Amino acid sequence: MTDKLSTPELFKGIALFTPGGDLIYCIDPSKQGRWHLHLCGALQEILDLPEPPHFLVPCYTATIDHWLNPRTEQVQTFAEAYPAVMRHQSVLRAIFGTGELVWQTAPWQEDLCDRMVLGTYRSSFPQLWEDHDLIVRLDRADIAPQYQQHKLNPQQGIAHTQGYVLRLFVAGHSVATERILQNLHELLERSLKYPYTLKVIDVLTHPEQAEIDQVSATPTLVKVWPHPIRRIVGDLDNVDKLLQTLGAKEI
């Protein structure tokens, strides 16, 4: 069975950032279109916003098209990001698996991306200007993030979700942290057969969260859902150890 989380050879991808740096994105192998509305709707649910933040589009978006050139029969990539999110290129490379690809800068559209107008939304949507270290992948078939969609088991009478909620605890943002994040994304998308949500937490700025999750060393990966809660400390490159800790075969 094909792992639906692996990055296909040909696909379209859309990433939507918040002013604070949170990210929600999708990878669409069917290449059928842009579905920014779904990303905005998911952000509304995750951050408990009063309404979908449609004003983020297109100012805080990045798009990528991995396509087959019929003339050369070679796979080519066109990747474009708006100026407000160009600083997140390393994250874009990690989630879309583009290696050292340099993203092109999309032209700033003053009629749609007036900074003063965007700033007026801050009082109504303060969560968007906060950094929650949020990285969420949304599947095309989902209207809401799959980790929030539960299926009822009629025999056992309990809710069961086909997905993972993970927290990665790191100490500061460095080259080593970026490498860990990229390697972990690649490993998870290659090895897990269900969607996952990964939240990155810096223990230097959020020590209270580390205390709540009983984290005493970094890096530490915590599987919050499905239960039981499990942790893996230090070695995040060992696929077998990681999958065993996550209990991936139990889902």
Side-chain angles (χ1 to χ4, degrees):
M1 182 176 67
T2 302
D3 181 354
K4 73 173 183 177
L5 280 181
S6 60
T7 302
E9 184 179 15
L10 303 177
F11 68 92
K12 279 187 177 180
I14 304 171
L16 176 63
F17 289 87
T18 68
D22 291 328
L23 165 65
I24 185 166
Y25 72 102
C26 66
I27 295 176
D28 180 10
S30 65
K31 298 167 66 69
Q32 291 183 350
R34 304 166 180 267
W35 44 302
H36 298 93
L37 296 182
H38 289 170
L39 298 181
C40 291
L43 269 183
Q44 178 188 13
E45 293 193 14
I46 294 170
L47 298 179
D48 193 24
L49 304 176
E51 61 184 80
H54 296 151
F55 56 87
L56 294 179
V57 181
C59 321
Y60 289 92
T61 61
T63 57
I64 182 171
D65 191 355
H66 214 47
W67 59 289
L68 181 65
N69 188 323
R71 295 178 57 188
T72 63
E73 297 186 351
Q74 297 293 317
V75 176
Q76 297 184 355
T77 302
F78 178 77
E80 184 178 66
Y82 274 79
V85 301
M86 283 295 287
R87 61 190 176 94
H88 299 298
Q89 279 198 63
S90 60
V91 177
L92 291 170
R93 294 188 188 113
I95 63 174
F96 291 123
T98 58
E100 296 303 314
L101 176 72
V102 176
W103 287 59
Q104 297 187 35
T105 304
W108 189 262
Q109 302 180 34
E110 289 295 341
D111 56 331
L112 297 175
C113 302
D114 187 291
R115 290 176 173 84
M116 293 185 63
V117 173
L118 291 173
T120 62
Y121 290 98
R122 187 164 186 166
S123 60
S124 301
F125 298 85
Q127 304 95 317
L128 296 178
W129 272 260
E130 301 169 357
D131 183 3
H132 304 92
D133 290 320
L134 186 70
I135 300 177
V136 176
R137 173 166 170 169
L138 187 70
D139 286 334
R140 181 167 183 83
D142 302 331
I143 296 178
Q146 184 141 4
Y147 75 87
Q148 293 187 348
Q149 291 187 343
H150 300 278
K151 295 182 179 180
L152 187 65
N153 186 325
Q155 296 180 345
Q156 299 179 0
I158 61 174
H160 177 69
T161 182
Q162 293 184 327
Y164 295 84
V165 178
L166 309 171
R167 294 173 185 160
L168 174 64
F169 289 84
V170 298
H173 295 282
S174 63
V175 174
T177 299
E178 183 177 316
R179 181 188 63 80
I180 291 172
L181 179 59
Q182 181 171 349
N183 290 344
L184 183 60
H185 265 296
E186 293 175 355
L187 191 154
L188 292 173
E189 298 214 358
R190 184 175 66 248
S191 304
L192 295 184
K193 62 180 180 179
Y194 292 115
Y196 67 91
T197 297
L198 175 64
K199 181 176 182 179
V200 182
I201 300 173
D202 185 352
V203 299
L204 300 182
T205 56
H206 299 285
E208 72 287 349
Q209 188 62 54
E211 183 177 353
I212 292 173
D213 283 277
Q214 302 178 8
V215 172
S216 58
T218 59
T220 294
L221 182 68
V222 180
K223 183 195 71 171
V224 179
W225 183 268
H227 289 169
I229 296 175
R230 293 181 177 176
R231 298 170 180 81
I232 180 170
V233 182
D235 184 11
L236 302 181
D237 295 325
N238 188 317
V239 178
D240 293 335
K241 181 179 179 181
L242 179 64
L243 294 180
Q244 182 179 3
T245 302
L246 294 179
K249 297 181 180 179
E250 299 175 3
I251 292 184

